[in-house]
Amino acid sequence: MTAKKHGFNNSDNGVIAWRGSLLICHQKGLDVVCGWPALRRLFLLTGIVLGLQGCSSFGPPSVDRDRFDYINALSSSWKQQTLLNIVKMRYADTPVFLDVGQIISGYQLQGSVAVSGTLNSASVVGDILNLGSAATYTDRPTITYTPLTGAHFLQVMITPVPPPNLLRLSQEGWPIDMLLQIGAQSINGISNRKGGARGHAAEPDFVRLLAALQRLQGSGVLGLRVEVSKESKQEGTVMVISQKDLPPEIQADRDRVRKLLGLRPDLHEFKVVSGTVSGKDDTIAIQTRSGFQILNLLGSNVEVPPEHIAEGRTYPEIVEPAGAPSLPPLIKIHAENSCSADAFAAVKYRDYCYWIDDRDYRSKGVFTFLMIIMTLAETGEKAQPPVVTIQGN
């Protein structure tokens, strides 16, 4: 092959030369375009292949998607499981809890591109170019569930919430009347509402006590202090009722609390212990509830079809004494043939849909607070929290 100007000379195939952006084949006195459009397509495919290689790793972008998707899925699952167990308690059915122990999500993406063809502008059919591609996407999540049994079940469901843990939440802004209505069965012998088939309404004095405590908290008069015993090294709680000058109505609430609980009127600090009756005028005994008792209490607020009561499938509603002060319902769980489109949480049970209205702020707050209450019942060694492992390659 002998080089010529603008190209190369080949005795058999003529001259191949560049003219501008075209590749020219000179044969027998004719200049013809020799396959450049096909080459441009080939270069384009090459760029696509290189681009696929640059996008082959999708691990980092998957974090934004997977993290929040799993958060929403775990939250929705917990709400449905808890709501179902509350409803089952109303029917004396067995509550079952499954904790998500571990989530392993593995992704795999494989792709290939094949290019083949014949570049021959002199042919009748012109250039022949074959393009083939294949891709495989695999998502294999592995989720491990741990049933709540044994010692952990006793911790969470049977163990009463320690009074210091319950009252400490009032310092974080939680209403003290709601805390005690949910978590306390009695205070210095004054009984709260009890759920279940043998349930009863709260004593009128308990209703008056919670109302007075709520007003004292709102006025900044009520406080708590945590003390650690030098002998036992255990934490203790002291309730502090301010002695400063107050408006007459707040002073009346302060005196009412002391009178209802049998406390000395000249004291402003009182020890809080676990028990039914303290027997001392400087101590407040609180009998707290366990997770099982709280579920049973909330179950008494579940609406049930009248035929289920008539057939003996569940117990009738607790009747409040006429004319006596009563506590507002902690939660409202509706029962209908179909689920509402505006439900905060909903489950199917016994051919009915039980749901909480998303516009019922109090019920949503109590339902969400239930998880905190059950967590407060845990003492000692904690269970291993859920582990989410996402393999994104």
Side-chain angles (χ1 to χ4, degrees), residues 328-351:
L330 280 171
I331 193 170
K332 293 181 180 180
I333 301 176
H334 306 277
E336 295 181 358
N337 293 325
S338 60
C339 294
S340 171
D342 197 14
F344 171 72
V347 291
K348 287 281 190 177
Y349 184 76
R350 294 180 179 266
D351 298 328

Side-chain angles (χ1 to χ4, degrees), residues 84-85 87-96 292 349-350:
L84 177 60
N85 284 323
V87 175
K88 291 172 72 174
M89 291 291 290
R90 178 63 190 262
Y91 286 88
D93 202 348
T94 305
V96 177
F292 192 86
Y349 184 76
R350 294 180 179 266

Side-chain angles (χ1 to χ4, degrees), residues 45-61 109 111 113 393:
L45 292 174
T46 303
I48 293 175
V49 173
L50 294 176
L52 287 175
Q53 291 179 352
C55 298
S56 60
S57 175
F58 57 92
L109 178 63
V113 177
N393 60 331

